[in-house]
Amino acid sequence: MTKLSVNINKIATLRNARGHNNPDIVQAAINIERFGADGITVHPRPDERHIRYQDVYDLKKVITTEFNIEGNPAEDKFVELVLANQPTQVTLVPDALGQLTSNHGWNTVEHAGYLKNIIAVFKKEGIRVSIFVDPIVEMIEAAKATGTDRIELYTESFATEFAEGRHEQGIEAYIAAAKKAQELELGMNAGHDLDLHNLPYFSKQIPGLLEVSIGHALICDALYLGLENAVQLYKRALKNDEPHFFK
């Protein structure tokens, strides 16, 4: 069964808008786990515009499922944060400074040496490593040589094609990437723009999918459906149970 890790960045964005502690992201994480999520994801950025570095320390104390910290390892502060908190998984993302949201995966051919060295730093501490990649077979093959435990497929292009009704066209590259990952015995995660509409189709088509990380869409749905209901509906979607509550 594919695990659901809920990215709580957007909850932190709402909190930061007023400068106090409402909503309380620590309590939100506790509740999200209680509602059935298999993990919590955070993606702290240098400007701390959503998740703050202190949040990571606070969350580490209470999370009882899997804790996934995403970010760019080129930032020394990020590396130090991960090593200090020992999450279940670190997901390495090639974000530029000030980038609004992640929009591309690693070039695992060009950056093979760098990735191999930084991945070794985390694995030495017993932290599972995943790297963000585009659904390109060549990049999957090169990822294997870096020593990473998993890859995370960047799913924006699939989501875009799906929204335009081009389901088969949108999923084709992901199926090929997934088959290559399985062939190479690489674990596989996925994330970005997955939602209740496209997730059942994606999870059904992709063999060996271990985890999806979903934040923006789930939190938006929670505004209408409630947080507990949203988490449970996303869990159902991963079982290929199509939700029919809205179009």
Side-chain angles (χ1 to χ4, degrees):
M1 176 62 189
T2 305
K3 291 184 176 181
L4 170 67
S5 186
V6 177
N7 186 317
I8 60 173
N9 278 24
K10 286 299 185 294
I11 298 176
T13 300
L14 181 60
R15 175 202 61 188
N16 294 354
R18 291 295 294 268
H20 300 293
N21 194 40
N22 186 24
D24 183 332
I25 68 160
V26 171
Q27 187 60 52
I30 292 170
N31 290 341
I32 288 167
E33 288 184 313
R34 182 165 57 86
F35 297 154
D38 304 295
I40 300 293
T41 291
V42 294
H43 189 148
R45 287 184 164 88
D47 59 8
E48 298 187 286
R49 65 182 181 269
H50 34 63
I51 290 294
R52 299 168 182 154
Y53 287 91
Q54 183 59 47
D55 292 333
V56 177
Y57 289 94
D58 295 340
L59 288 163
K60 173 63 178 178
K61 297 174 184 177
V62 301
I63 290 174
T64 59
T65 57
E66 293 198 351
F67 192 19
N68 174 44
I69 305 177
E70 299 181 344
N72 191 336
E75 301 156 13
D76 290 341
K77 191 175 180 181
F78 174 79
V79 175
E80 293 167 3
L81 182 74
V82 173
L83 295 178
N85 284 278
Q86 297 284 304
T88 314
Q89 176 176 273
V90 60
T91 300
L92 308 183
V93 183
D95 283 347
L97 187 65
Q99 189 166 315
L100 179 62
T101 187
S102 305
N103 63 9
H104 65 283
W106 288 96
N107 183 326
T108 54
V109 176
E110 181 179 341
H111 299 293
Y114 169 73
L115 286 169
K116 185 174 182 179
N117 289 337
I118 193 63
I119 287 168
V121 170
F122 297 118
K123 291 189 68 174
K124 182 180 178 181
E125 297 298 318
I127 302 168
R128 187 174 75 221
V129 181
S130 179
I131 59 175
F132 206 52
V133 295
D134 296 303
I136 301 170
V137 168
E138 180 186 15
M139 296 303 160
I140 310 301
E141 291 173 333
K144 177 66 176 179
T146 68
T148 190
D149 300 294
R150 296 186 183 185
I151 57 170
E152 179 175 334
L153 294 175
Y154 171 49
T155 50
E156 182 183 18
S157 63
F158 159 75
T160 300
E161 295 287 350
F162 186 93
E164 296 297 325
R166 297 186 291 271
H167 300 35
E168 293 183 4
Q169 180 178 331
I171 201 69
E172 185 176 0
Y174 292 89
I175 293 173
K179 288 180 177 178
K180 178 56 67 174
Q182 284 195 308
E183 177 187 318
L184 297 172
E185 298 183 337
L186 276 174
M188 185 171 48
N189 301 336
H192 205 91
D193 288 348
L194 294 175
D195 60 27
L196 285 174
H197 300 290
N198 60 39
L199 184 58
Y201 181 80
F202 184 84
S203 62
K204 185 176 182 179
Q205 297 295 322
I206 300 301
L209 183 62
L210 297 175
E211 174 189 295
V212 293
S213 176
I214 302 178
H216 183 83
L218 189 152
I219 301 305
C220 288
D221 288 334
L223 294 176
Y224 299 96
L225 306 169
L227 186 56
E228 180 175 6
N229 196 27
V231 170
Q232 293 181 3
L233 283 168
Y234 274 84
K235 291 282 290 182
R236 280 175 51 191
L238 285 170
K239 297 177 182 177
N240 307 313
D241 182 5
E242 295 273 4
H244 297 294
F245 55 91
F246 65 81
K247 294 294 183 182

